[in-house]
Amino acid sequence: MKEFDIIVFGGTGYTGIHVVREMFLTGKCETLSWALAGRSADKMKKVLQTIAAETNVNDYSDVGVIVANVDDIDSIEKMCVNAKLLINCVGPYYLWGRQVVEACLAANTHYLDISGEPLFMEQMEADYHEKAEELGLVITSACGFDSVPADVGVRYIQTHFPGTLTAIETYVNARVGDRGFSVHLPTFQCVVNGFKNRPSLIKFRKERKLSKVPKLGAPFHPKSGVWRENGLFCSPFAGSDRSVIMRTQRYLYEKGLSAPAQAGVYMSFQSTALFLYLCVFGVFFLILVNTRFGRYLLLKYPKIFTLGLVSAEGATPEQIEQASFSVTLKGQGYSYSGATEGDPDVTVEGIVSGPDPGYVSCSRFVTQAAYSVLKHGPRLVVFS
């Protein structure tokens, strides 16, 4: 018998604290039991006390506190045994994720995380998908801003498309207020390590030798470079969205649930100043991230070598309150089923939008995903 419905692992970290806040705000409505897990019992108790006061929760005595450390496998296994579902907020995942996934499988526990690391996600799928399916478990990454708006947005367009969707483009637009924004150091570490692991990701994909998914409809080529569209500056998006979208499309195709759609993933900017700033930062970043010494400088002195964008403190509450996002999705295809050539005759557009993407929306996505898994877990394994 599992003691808790949900355990939030890493809830004293910068993102984890926002997940804890969301659990306080919504957990009572869901009538679920939950616990916080991490390295320090004192820190966890302080977080619970602080967030409970902020959210006007007077009695949180039923919220558990579990001491667990990714360096201590026994503590990880004991933690997972006590949960129906684990939300893992401890990254970088390529360093600390595998042992948690393995412990969840051994404990018959659902697993969700907020990773945006394609190599980790694809390795977990390759190594554990069949085992999870056999056990009726959901083992799912990218349940935060990477990549819920893009992946769920694409799937929504696909299921409501009046015919056959063959290609879709997503445009991520993150907006900040007059107080600017700061990226938290652990998030930046994941980005740096993602670029470092690109050769390993390419090698891993080649070694898997997956069959090719057919490309339907008119030729579709993802855009490159920099361009202006509808008054916005645009460029390719280097995040994990396309990896996640295409894995979903492959899964749906192989299960016979949907025709596959091609995808292009981009960023868009309303502010010319922000666009120019990120261009300068991007060039500077790419020069440094491709050498060992450059990565050392980026991680040792992030505030200096990211031109102030990254800090150990992360975004302030005021910056988070002013931040927001939108993801515009532009789909094309055919009004009749089975079409594989000719110009598309149907186009649709949709928008997913919300508050601060990195923390507020991220925590909402992963907690709502957790509630859905607990309610519909076996069905999600078969049909998702």
Side-chain angles (χ1 to χ4, degrees):
M1 182 70 177
K2 304 282 189 178
E3 185 176 357
F4 300 104
D5 294 306
I6 296 173
I7 291 178
V8 180
F9 182 40
T12 60
Y14 201 78
T15 305
I17 287 174
H18 289 272
V19 176
V20 171
R21 179 177 287 106
E22 196 63 25
M23 291 296 299
F24 269 123
L25 290 171
T26 61
K28 292 290 186 182
C29 298
E30 298 292 335
T31 63
L32 299 174
S33 61
W34 65 283
L36 183 58
R39 291 178 294 181
S40 169
D42 289 340
K43 285 185 178 180
M44 287 186 282
K45 290 175 183 177
K46 186 175 181 180
V47 165
L48 290 173
Q49 182 181 21
T50 301
I51 303 301
E54 291 176 0
T55 54
N56 298 316
V57 175
N58 296 320
D59 182 13
Y60 56 94
S61 58
D62 57 340
V63 178
V65 172
I66 299 171
V67 176
N69 192 326
V70 287
D71 290 329
D72 183 349
I73 299 301
D74 286 342
S75 70
I76 296 299
E77 292 175 347
K78 290 176 182 177
M79 171 185 68
C80 293
V81 165
N82 284 314
K84 292 181 181 178
L85 182 146
L86 184 82
I87 297 176
N88 184 14
C89 301
V90 180
Y93 293 91
Y94 89 99
L95 290 176
W96 310 117
R98 179 178 290 271
Q99 55 263 53
V100 182
V101 171
E102 290 176 345
C104 282
L105 286 166
N108 202 36
T109 296
H110 297 298
Y111 169 95
L112 303 179
D113 69 39
I114 50 176
S115 170
E117 304 168 38
L119 179 59
F120 167 76
M121 293 189 284
E122 294 182 29
Q123 285 177 335
M124 295 304 98
E125 179 192 5
D127 294 346
Y128 302 120
H129 172 71
E130 291 183 0
K131 181 66 173 178
E133 197 168 38
E134 175 187 326
L135 294 172
L137 293 176
V138 173
I139 306 292
T140 304
S141 293
C143 294
F145 183 67
D146 288 342
S147 294
V148 169
D151 194 35
V152 175
V154 168
R155 187 63 185 139
Y156 183 87
I157 294 289
Q158 196 166 33
T159 55
H160 291 80
F161 195 83
T164 302
L165 178 75
T166 58
I168 192 162
E169 297 177 314
T170 70
Y171 293 81
V172 177
N173 186 285
R175 295 178 290 272
V176 300
D178 56 16
R179 295 180 180 268
F181 202 80
S182 179
V183 175
H184 196 218
L185 180 56
T187 300
F188 183 65
Q189 290 172 331
C190 291
V191 174
V192 171
N193 287 319
F195 276 87
K196 172 189 173 184
N197 291 330
R198 279 184 303 171
S200 299
L201 177 61
I202 293 170
K203 180 182 178 183
F204 174 75
R205 286 173 172 171
K206 288 181 179 179
E207 290 175 346
R208 288 190 75 184
K209 297 180 180 179
L210 295 174
S211 59
K212 289 187 176 182
V213 175
K215 297 180 179 180
L216 305 180
F220 175 81
H221 305 287
K223 299 169 185 173
S224 59
V226 175
W227 67 97
R228 196 166 173 83
E229 186 173 325
N230 297 326
L232 302 176
F233 290 100
C234 303
S235 66
F237 180 48
S240 62
D241 283 358
R242 189 173 189 278
S243 168
V244 173
I245 290 169
M246 296 315 297
R247 285 169 56 218
T248 297
Q249 294 303 305
R250 170 181 289 278
Y251 179 85
L252 294 169
Y253 169 71
E254 290 179 347
K255 292 292 185 180
L257 299 173
S258 177
Q262 303 174 67
V265 180
Y266 316 113
M267 297 184 296
S268 62
F269 305 90
Q270 290 176 311
S271 167
T272 302
L274 176 61
F275 173 72
L276 293 175
Y277 168 80
L278 290 177
C279 282
V280 173
F281 165 71
V283 171
F284 196 51
F285 176 81
L286 288 174
I287 292 172
L288 292 175
V289 79
N290 285 304
T291 67
R292 179 181 294 180
F293 183 63
R295 290 191 294 271
Y296 167 80
L297 292 176
L298 286 169
L299 297 177
K300 183 69 175 179
Y301 309 103
K303 202 161 190 177
I304 296 173
F305 287 94
T306 63
L307 310 179
L309 182 64
V310 176
S311 71
E313 298 79 20
T316 66
E318 293 77 17
Q319 290 173 329
I320 291 173
E321 185 177 358
Q322 291 183 344
S324 61
F325 81 91
S326 66
V327 178
T328 301
L329 303 106
K330 301 179 180 181
Q332 65 180 38
Y334 302 89
S335 57
Y336 45 97
S337 300
T340 58
E341 58 184 22
D343 294 331
D345 64 343
V346 178
T347 59
V348 298
E349 184 171 317
I351 297 177
V352 180
S353 62
D356 160 67
Y359 304 108
V360 177
S361 290
C362 175
S363 61
R364 291 179 182 176
F365 293 148
V366 72
T367 51
Q368 292 301 318
Y371 301 151
S372 295
V373 170
L374 288 176
K375 290 180 180 178
H376 311 294
R379 183 174 182 273
L380 290 174
V381 171
V382 176
F383 296 110
S384 68

